[in-house]
Amino acid sequence: MPLFAFLIIGEWYFQTMSVELTVTADDRRVARFAAAAIVLTIAEAAIPSPLPGVKPGLANIVVLVVLLRHGWADAAWVSLLRVFAASLLMGQFLAPGFFLSLAGALASLATLALTVRLPSRWFGPVTHSVAAAFAHMAAQLVVARLWLVPHDGVFLLTPIFATAALCFGAINGLIAAKLLVELDQ
Amino acid sequence: MREWLPHLRPGDWGTLLLGLALAGASFPLLWRGGVADRAVVKRDGAVLAEFALNAARRFEVEGPIGRTVIEIAPGRARVASDPGLHQYCVKQGWLTRPNSIAICAPNHVSLQLTGKDSSFDSLNY
């Protein structure tokens, strides 16, 4: 895994340069989850998609697990670290895809900040996941409309994106729910 | 399938239904997109003819390299034949959406559909 090599080299670099960086247990946890999310993003990039933008978003499973186990702040760190690091590794940093990804992540995190306040007895990971998936899609469509495609034609794709958001949101939520149960055992 | 059901809490079903309703509502809302009601045939950018898309008919245009045949049908239009080398405008098939356009560049002929709102065309898109 080049990423782990990267992290190890990074740690060695800071140690040998005797840079005073205090790494807390929280930092390590966020880094570990972020690494998992990045790996999922890169693995997912290899899956062919019929339409740019229709992706399972597997990294969001990690974000959901972090959200429900460690809180929104950690989830935000993992989500944004993933967006930046994965785009750097794939050479997409500051490309249009990066901004679409960032907009989607920010909208998802804003939505999760709201849904996580819902009573957990009634609303579980599936609700968070589906809501975040729709927010992700909506933000990307708006950014695409305002910036990339100066024409309402992009909105013709809404039904496809909404269907994908519903399906992948539900599946990711279920996987996250199962993971959470297994992690608690 | 059944082993996943316990992971759904009561409210999650509501969320799923809401998502389904949103996705379902987006289909007719956004795929309507206006109706094409006229076809405009141009040669060298000048309008040669305009047809209402309510009756079938054929229209022939003589261009620099030959004859382009436009076919009009209720609600749609196409370039039926063209002397161009690559046949791009013919392969586009029937045009149905407002502002869609087929351009037979070698013969300087274009066929465009117009609707009530013609602010953008398929080239812009």
Side-chain angles (χ1 to χ4, degrees):
Chain A
M1 283 281 127
L3 180 69
F4 293 123
F6 176 73
L7 291 175
I8 290 163
I9 292 169
E11 193 159 345
W12 168 81
Y13 174 80
F14 284 116
Q15 278 169 4
T16 50
M17 300 299 283
S18 66
V19 176
E20 290 290 330
L21 272 186
T22 44
V23 180
T24 64
D26 288 352
D27 294 338
R28 288 183 194 284
R29 191 177 61 225
V30 166
R32 205 177 313 125
F33 279 121
I38 293 161
V39 167
L40 285 174
T41 302
I42 288 168
E44 188 178 87
I47 302 173
S49 165
L51 194 70
V54 175
K55 284 188 226 164
L58 297 173
N60 298 319
I61 298 169
V62 179
V63 176
L64 282 170
V65 168
V66 175
L67 173 78
L68 294 168
R69 275 175 73 90
H70 305 291
W72 185 82
D74 276 21
W77 269 112
V78 169
S79 170
L80 295 175
L81 276 173
R82 171 194 79 80
V83 170
F84 280 90
S87 72
L88 279 170
L89 286 169
M90 293 195 288
Q92 296 286 318
F93 185 56
L94 299 185
F98 164 76
F99 289 104
L100 288 175
S101 183
L102 183 63
L106 290 173
S108 296
L109 287 170
T111 307
L112 289 174
L114 298 176
T115 60
V116 83
R117 287 163 201 273
L118 291 167
S120 63
R121 208 164 73 79
W122 291 87
F123 297 97
V126 175
T127 291
H128 305 313
S129 182
V130 170
F134 271 93
H136 194 281
M137 171 206 78
Q140 293 199 322
L141 274 178
V142 169
V143 170
R145 169 65 184 86
L146 292 178
W147 182 39
L148 298 174
V149 187
H151 176 20
D152 283 339
V154 271
F155 294 124
L156 294 174
L157 297 172
T158 306
I160 298 165
F161 287 138
T163 309
L166 178 66
C167 296
F168 292 132
I171 292 168
N172 289 351
L174 283 171
I175 295 172
K178 200 175 165 86
L179 271 176
L180 282 162
V181 170
E182 284 173 8
L183 285 171
D184 283 337
Q185 277 166 1
Chain B
M1 207 49 213
R2 184 159 298 177
E3 72 207 62
W4 292 95
L5 287 182
H7 296 300
L8 281 166
R9 296 175 202 174
D12 290 341
W13 289 105
T15 309
L16 287 177
L17 281 177
L18 186 68
L20 197 64
L22 275 175
S26 70
F27 274 84
L29 216 72
L30 291 157
W31 252 328
R32 198 167 43 206
V35 182
D37 56 3
R38 296 186 77 74
V40 181
V41 182
K42 291 183 185 176
R43 185 177 60 206
D44 290 317
V47 176
L48 280 188
E50 264 194 71
F51 303 99
L53 293 181
N54 53 15
R57 62 170 298 167
R58 288 167 83 84
F59 181 70
E60 295 179 357
V61 188
E62 293 296 336
I65 63 166
R67 176 176 297 174
T68 299
V69 180
I70 310 284
E71 192 175 351
I72 311 283
R76 56 186 191 164
R78 68 168 174 170
V79 179
S81 73
D82 179 71
L85 178 62
H86 298 293
Q87 299 280 299
Y88 291 132
C89 58
V90 179
K91 285 178 187 164
Q92 255 182 285
W94 289 102
L95 305 179
T96 56
R97 299 187 66 86
N99 307 319
S100 52
I101 184 166
I103 299 174
C104 305
N107 211 22
H108 299 201
V109 174
S110 75
L111 164 69
Q112 182 170 22
L113 303 194
T114 59
K116 291 195 169 43
D117 169 31
S118 293
S119 52
F120 287 101
D121 54 45
S122 57
L123 286 184
N124 261 311
Y125 176 65

